[in-house]
Amino acid sequence: MSRKLWEDVDAYFESVLIGDDPALDAARKAAAAAGLPDIAVAPNQGKLLNLMARMIGARRILEVGTLGGYSAIWLARALPEGGELVTLEYNPKHAEVARANVANAGLADKVTVITGAAIDTLPRLKGPFDFSFIDADKQSNPDYFRMCLKLSRKGSVIVVDNVVREGRVLDTKGGDANVEGIRRLYEIMAAEPRVSATALQTVGVKGHDGLAVALVVAD
Ligand code: SAH
Ligand code: DHB
Ligand code: MG
């Protein structure tokens, strides 16, 4: 199967199920114009995050890794009146682009972008969060997962992006900190009695990658 076919199918899903979305299109354009890397979630993935947050009635959402705010807009749109999204970003330029994109999407009142290394900013947050999306530096996934779990409650959901990386997740040779971060994440998820977790491979405009999903089953 070819990457071109995966991309065509994603384009079809976007056109048939999502359609034009001025705020999201503008956010992608602004991020590209500012020189940010083109690594935001795909439109159908963004909508999946939005639907998952709505399925559990999330009122407080935590994101680790904001980039230009594309996934943040999808997630913040899932929130009811009075809900909030806290999103953590290391790069001040990314955070600035994200704040502008979020404001342009009419979501400034619901979204707080906190600048700094997530390992430093996560401990300052007050839980519980109903939904967490981990999508920053992959070698720190184990730390982010543990900290997000600490900020969760029974019934919370934690989603982690980029957990397959073209199959590099199978690489047991070591030496790639990102792969080791992903493999360690699975070990922690499997050993942690407070969560029940699974993972899915995905293909599409993001290549061959995947998402891990954990449900917090006990406080
Ligand atoms: N969730 C975004 C994409 C995030 S890309 C979306 O789908 O739209 C990963 C982001 O994590 C980048 O902006 C990068 O600067 C940020 N990042 C990398 N290391 C980080 C760290 N230690 N703490 C917080 N953010 C970090
Ligand atoms: C990269 C990071 C991501 O979060 C992603 O979804 C795709 C690629 C990267 O750092 O290459
Ligand atoms: Mg990602």
Side-chain angles (χ1 to χ4, degrees):
M1 251 220 287
S2 72
R3 169 134 186 175
K4 167 82 168 65
L5 181 60
W6 304 343
E7 289 175 356
D8 289 349
V9 173
D10 261 5
Y12 171 61
F13 288 158
E14 184 180 1
S15 72
V16 74
L17 293 172
I18 297 171
D20 282 338
D21 191 312
L24 286 171
D25 296 345
R28 267 198 196 276
K29 274 207 187 104
L36 272 52
D38 183 19
I39 55 174
V41 294
N44 53 346
Q45 294 174 328
K47 189 159 183 183
L48 178 67
L49 294 172
N50 172 281
L51 293 173
M52 290 172 89
R54 286 158 64 189
M55 284 173 199
I56 61 160
R59 303 186 60 86
R60 297 193 76 222
I61 300 178
L62 172 59
E63 178 178 66
V64 186
T66 316
L67 192 65
Y70 183 82
S71 54
I73 292 171
W74 273 116
L75 285 167
R77 283 178 176 176
L79 292 165
E81 202 59 46
E84 69 163 333
L85 166 74
V86 176
T87 180
L88 311 179
E89 174 54 52
Y90 176 72
N91 188 316
K93 180 175 149 187
H94 296 187
E96 189 185 314
V97 172
R99 286 189 193 101
N101 283 335
V102 161
N104 182 56
L107 294 162
D109 57 330
K110 286 181 169 155
V111 178
T112 307
V113 183
I114 299 178
T115 310
I119 206 84
D120 300 325
T121 54
L122 273 165
R124 295 184 209 145
L125 300 179
K126 216 179 112 42
F129 288 91
D130 309 307
F131 188 100
S132 297
F133 179 48
I134 299 175
D135 189 20
D137 53 312
K138 314 309 171 192
Q139 80 269 13
S140 302
N141 275 341
D143 292 321
Y144 298 155
F145 182 76
R146 280 194 211 93
M147 292 165 123
C148 286
L149 182 57
K150 211 177 259 181
L151 291 166
S152 297
R153 50 145 180 103
K154 184 176 174 186
S156 294
V157 169
I158 303 172
V159 176
V160 188
D161 195 23
N162 310 116
V163 294
V164 175
R165 307 318 297 265
E166 316 277 348
R168 288 195 295 281
V169 65
L170 296 183
D171 179 3
T172 52
K173 287 196 304 287
D176 183 333
N178 293 326
V179 171
E180 279 168 24
I182 295 164
R183 291 183 66 90
R184 186 81 196 107
L185 168 74
Y186 287 125
E187 286 162 16
I188 292 166
M189 283 176 159
E192 173 55 68
R194 284 174 293 166
V195 307
S196 182
T198 190
L200 280 182
Q201 303 183 66
T202 55
V203 295
V205 292
K206 303 279 318 257
H208 172 209
D209 213 323
L211 293 170
V213 179
L215 174 67
V216 180
V217 294
D219 279 310

